[in-house]
Amino acid sequence: MEDTLHDHAVIPRTDDEKDKVLKRLRRIEGQVRGIQKMVEEDRYCVDILIQISAIQSALKNVGYEVTERHMKHCVTDAIDKGEGDDSIEELMAVLKQFSK
Amino acid sequence: MEDTLHDHAVIPRTDDEKDKVLKRLRRIEGQVRGIQKMVEEDRYCVDILIQISAIQSALKNVGYEVTERHMKHCVTDAIDKGEGDDSIEELMAVLKQFSK
Amino acid sequence: MEDTLHDHAVIPRTDDEKDKVLKRLRRIEGQVRGIQKMVEEDRYCVDILIQISAIQSALKNVGYEVTERHMKHCVTDAIDKGEGDDSIEELMAVLKQFSK
Amino acid sequence: MEDTLHDHAVIPRTDDEKDKVLKRLRRIEGQVRGIQKMVEEDRYCVDILIQISAIQSALKNVGYEVTERHMKHCVTDAIDKGEGDDSIEELMAVLKQFSK
């Protein structure tokens, strides 16, 4: 991770913004524990797959949230400073990894 | 979930099989908590996205594992009993949801 | 491609089955030409992306169709002959490539 | 498509840019025709799936190319004019559709 452009969000997240994302991530953590329980109880594979797919979906939504905020703050800030291309190329690299 | 074909794995998972999946799921749970910490510390969006993408990838691998075992046991068993089509259609439905 | 298990569909496709898939593929071919026209006319990027995404979706549906038929015929046939595992592993490999 | 922000690329594509994308799209068109031939010849399902997956991958790359150019030109231009948020939200909507 040492080669990304910053260590912290360029425009700090507000407490509200953090809370919203944290709430979603805690819910996802609970869903992952839920699947562990399903495996322990030897539940039907398809039911487990449905739950994995629900987590994928929830994670994707967190990813979209983070991406949109990133564009509206960090990338916008970079463009305002005339350094947009580096920031856009960095984002493209992570989007490509994402959709793999 | 009430409309899947079974409640439990048709051929019970061995302890080894359970352990292998559980180990992966606990690691994923830890990764989700790691992202929560990154959000609390207001870490850079792109670093957070890279971590989300790593979890997506790990979850996908668990999904593949579960799918392959499902085909080799539950679907195979259904085909042996002449009830393959229902089992295959059920699997297709979840694969479609998965790749969304 | 030389290392897949067969050269031809194990249970030959009927003319009806072929027609159905060919109709979809011709439609997709037309959509790809449509995007070429949009690029020539210098149309708005987002409109082009929407069209690319429509083709992705159409191709995915052809892929599902082919996968389902493959499971109901070739994989089922392999399982009946006691050679299911090779066929399932071959399918898993292509599903992994697919969801990349 | 009537509700996207523009009809044409905000900064017109150069002939070079058009040629590069068109070349890729023509190649993809050829690949789609190649799959039609495979279906007509009743080729093995897995070989067809591998080819579909190759087209998906090629289309995704065109999508990335178009997205990156869009960010570097249209979105950057919108941000410079203080209208970045609309442009970013429009892009996010299409990215979400894309990764479905």
Side-chain angles (χ1 to χ4, degrees):
Chain A
M1 270 190 282
E2 60 272 28
D3 44 9
T4 52
L5 292 171
H6 301 278
D7 287 326
H8 293 90
V10 174
I11 316 294
R13 291 179 185 86
T14 63
D15 285 346
D16 260 16
E17 283 181 312
K18 286 185 184 181
D19 278 354
K20 207 180 149 192
V21 180
L22 284 173
K23 207 168 285 178
R24 286 173 181 240
L25 288 169
R26 278 185 209 117
R27 202 169 169 269
I28 290 169
E29 189 192 332
Q31 287 175 295
V32 176
R33 268 199 301 267
I35 298 185
Q36 291 169 24
K37 202 159 163 278
M38 291 176 85
V39 173
E40 280 159 5
E41 293 170 352
D42 203 29
R43 293 279 299 279
Y44 185 44
C45 326
V46 173
D47 291 328
I48 294 176
L49 288 172
I50 290 171
Q51 284 310 104
I52 293 179
S53 149
I55 301 184
Q56 296 275 39
S57 197
L59 267 174
K60 218 186 250 184
N61 284 333
V62 176
Y64 291 144
E65 201 91 22
V66 174
T67 303
E68 182 164 344
R69 203 228 174 247
H70 177 61
M71 287 206 252
K72 287 188 174 170
H73 290 90
C74 312
V75 178
T76 296
D77 184 72
I79 289 170
D80 286 341
K81 287 178 179 150
E83 301 159 1
D85 281 7
D86 283 352
S87 182
I88 288 166
E89 282 158 27
E90 182 187 61
L91 178 57
M92 283 309 303
V94 79
L95 290 181
K96 284 176 196 178
Q97 197 175 323
F98 225 93
S99 73
K100 257 190 194 167
Chain B
M1 273 190 280
E2 60 271 29
D3 43 11
T4 51
L5 292 171
H6 300 279
D7 287 327
H8 292 90
V10 173
I11 316 293
R13 291 178 185 86
T14 63
D15 285 347
D16 260 17
E17 283 181 313
K18 286 186 184 179
D19 278 355
K20 204 179 152 194
V21 179
L22 285 172
K23 208 169 284 178
R24 285 174 182 238
L25 287 169
R26 279 187 208 114
R27 201 169 169 269
I28 290 170
E29 189 192 332
Q31 286 175 295
V32 175
R33 267 199 303 268
I35 299 186
Q36 291 169 23
K37 201 158 165 277
M38 291 176 85
V39 172
E40 279 158 7
E41 294 170 351
D42 204 30
R43 295 279 299 280
Y44 185 44
C45 324
V46 173
D47 290 328
I48 293 176
L49 288 172
I50 289 170
Q51 285 309 104
I52 293 178
S53 151
I55 300 183
Q56 296 274 36
S57 198
L59 267 175
K60 219 186 253 184
N61 284 332
V62 176
Y64 291 143
E65 201 92 23
V66 174
T67 303
E68 183 164 341
R69 203 230 173 247
H70 177 61
M71 288 206 252
K72 287 187 175 171
H73 291 88
C74 311
V75 178
T76 296
D77 183 72
I79 289 170
D80 285 340
K81 289 180 179 147
E83 299 160 1
D85 282 7
D86 283 352
S87 182
I88 288 167
E89 281 158 28
E90 183 187 61
L91 177 57
M92 283 309 304
V94 79
L95 290 181
K96 285 177 195 178
Q97 198 175 323
F98 225 93
S99 74
K100 257 191 193 166
Chain C
M1 273 188 280
E2 60 271 28
D3 43 11
T4 52
L5 294 171
H6 301 278
D7 287 326
H8 292 91
V10 174
I11 316 293
R13 291 179 185 85
T14 64
D15 285 347
D16 260 17
E17 284 181 312
K18 286 185 185 181
D19 278 354
K20 205 180 153 192
V21 179
L22 284 172
K23 208 168 285 179
R24 286 174 181 238
L25 288 169
R26 280 187 207 114
R27 203 170 168 267
I28 290 169
E29 189 192 332
Q31 287 175 295
V32 175
R33 268 199 302 268
I35 299 185
Q36 292 168 23
K37 202 159 164 277
M38 291 175 85
V39 172
E40 279 158 7
E41 294 170 351
D42 203 30
R43 295 279 299 279
Y44 185 44
C45 325
V46 173
D47 290 329
I48 294 176
L49 288 172
I50 289 169
Q51 285 310 104
I52 292 178
S53 149
I55 301 183
Q56 296 273 38
S57 198
L59 267 175
K60 219 186 251 184
N61 285 332
V62 176
Y64 291 143
E65 201 91 23
V66 175
T67 303
E68 182 164 343
R69 204 231 173 247
H70 177 60
M71 288 206 251
K72 286 186 176 172
H73 290 89
C74 312
V75 179
T76 295
D77 185 70
I79 288 170
D80 285 340
K81 288 180 180 147
E83 300 159 1
D85 282 9
D86 283 352
S87 183
I88 288 167
E89 281 159 27
E90 183 187 62
L91 178 57
M92 283 310 302
V94 80
L95 288 181
K96 286 177 195 178
Q97 197 175 325
F98 224 94
S99 73
K100 257 189 192 166
Chain D
M1 272 190 281
E2 61 272 24
D3 42 12
T4 52
L5 292 171
H6 301 279
D7 287 327
H8 292 89
V10 174
I11 317 293
R13 291 178 185 85
T14 63
D15 285 346
D16 260 16
E17 284 181 311
K18 286 185 185 181
D19 278 353
K20 205 179 151 193
V21 179
L22 284 171
K23 207 167 287 180
R24 286 173 181 240
L25 288 169
R26 277 186 211 116
R27 202 170 168 268
I28 290 169
E29 189 192 332
Q31 287 175 294
V32 175
R33 268 199 302 268
I35 299 185
Q36 292 169 24
K37 204 160 161 277
M38 291 176 85
V39 172
E40 279 158 7
E41 294 170 351
D42 203 28
R43 294 280 299 280
Y44 185 44
C45 325
V46 173
D47 290 328
I48 294 177
L49 288 172
I50 290 170
Q51 284 310 104
I52 293 179
S53 150
I55 301 184
Q56 295 276 38
S57 198
L59 267 175
K60 217 185 250 184
N61 285 332
V62 176
Y64 291 144
E65 200 92 22
V66 174
T67 303
E68 182 164 344
R69 202 228 175 248
H70 177 60
M71 288 206 252
K72 286 187 174 170
H73 291 90
C74 311
V75 178
T76 296
D77 184 72
I79 288 170
D80 286 340
K81 287 179 179 150
E83 298 159 2
D85 282 8
D86 283 352
S87 183
I88 288 167
E89 281 159 26
E90 183 186 60
L91 178 57
M92 283 308 304
V94 80
L95 289 181
K96 284 176 196 179
Q97 198 175 323
F98 225 93
S99 73
K100 256 190 194 168

